[in-house]
Amino acid sequence: MRVDPVTEAEFERVLPLIADYQRFYEVEDVSEERNRAFFRRFIFPSDDGLMLAAWNDEDDPDEAAPLGYACLYWFFSSTRAAETVLMNDLFVTPEARGQGVGRGLIDAGLETTRKRGAAHLEWATAPDNKTAQRLYDSTGAEQSTWLTYEIAAAAD
């Protein structure tokens, strides 16, 4: 398996995984056009972040289907006064789960974080996503004590 930044030539092959990730988290209005416009900003090289994809290295690189993807966002920590990296998305296709794809994507995200000189790599998952939590616990990462809050910007 190889994990590389997603290029323009590979982007359309990764796009369906983004929709699958959204459906996993029960997003009701999955839009290919909106996803294409939003996630295009993370194609290598990018000032906003980086999309990584895992590929079976035995497949033809021009035709291979991705095994999974992760999307990294560059952001900042006020408490550390430093850049940090948020792994906002991590998704592995059902048929590739349990084969080290998720770990490979996390490792590549951590390597990217180190190369940028960022303070740390962080990510979150749903409280009921126990499968993901088992993987995350096995990496040596520590679960944060911070609670996350959200408020909608648009009035209902």
Side-chain angles (χ1 to χ4, degrees):
M1 174 188 67
R2 64 182 173 83
V3 178
D4 295 313
V6 174
T7 65
E8 182 71 39
E10 298 165 332
F11 180 66
E12 290 296 321
R13 288 183 278 159
V14 176
L15 201 55
L17 272 64
I18 295 168
D20 290 344
Y21 171 81
Q22 292 167 331
R23 286 185 199 98
F24 178 84
Y25 281 109
E26 300 176 355
V27 172
E28 292 181 16
D29 182 27
V30 175
S31 167
E32 184 175 303
E33 295 79 26
R34 187 174 58 239
N35 285 345
R36 183 176 286 113
F38 180 82
F39 285 94
R40 182 169 298 288
R41 76 183 69 199
F42 303 112
I43 294 172
F44 180 77
S46 169
D47 292 332
D48 294 329
L50 180 67
M51 188 177 301
L52 299 167
W55 308 88
N56 182 338
D57 54 6
E58 296 176 11
D59 292 341
D60 179 344
D62 295 327
E63 298 179 17
L67 304 171
Y69 85 98
C71 194
L72 309 176
Y73 297 0
W74 317 142
F75 79 115
F76 306 96
S77 168
S78 298
T79 58
R80 294 180 184 221
E83 179 181 270
T84 58
V85 176
L86 172 66
M87 185 170 57
N88 201 59
D89 309 334
L90 174 67
F91 181 79
V92 176
T93 61
E95 54 275 6
R97 291 180 186 154
Q99 299 176 24
V101 175
R103 176 64 69 111
L105 288 162
I106 292 169
D107 289 346
L110 184 56
E111 181 62 25
T112 299
T113 301
R114 289 177 176 142
K115 284 181 181 177
R116 288 188 65 81
H120 68 262
L121 174 66
E122 69 179 73
W123 62 92
T125 192
D128 63 346
N129 192 345
K130 301 300 183 193
T131 301
Q133 290 172 39
R134 280 191 299 277
L135 168 61
Y136 302 157
D137 289 343
S138 76
T139 67
E142 295 180 14
Q143 190 174 31
S144 174
T145 58
W146 293 87
L147 300 176
T148 302
Y149 291 82
E150 295 179 0
I151 190 167
D156 290 333

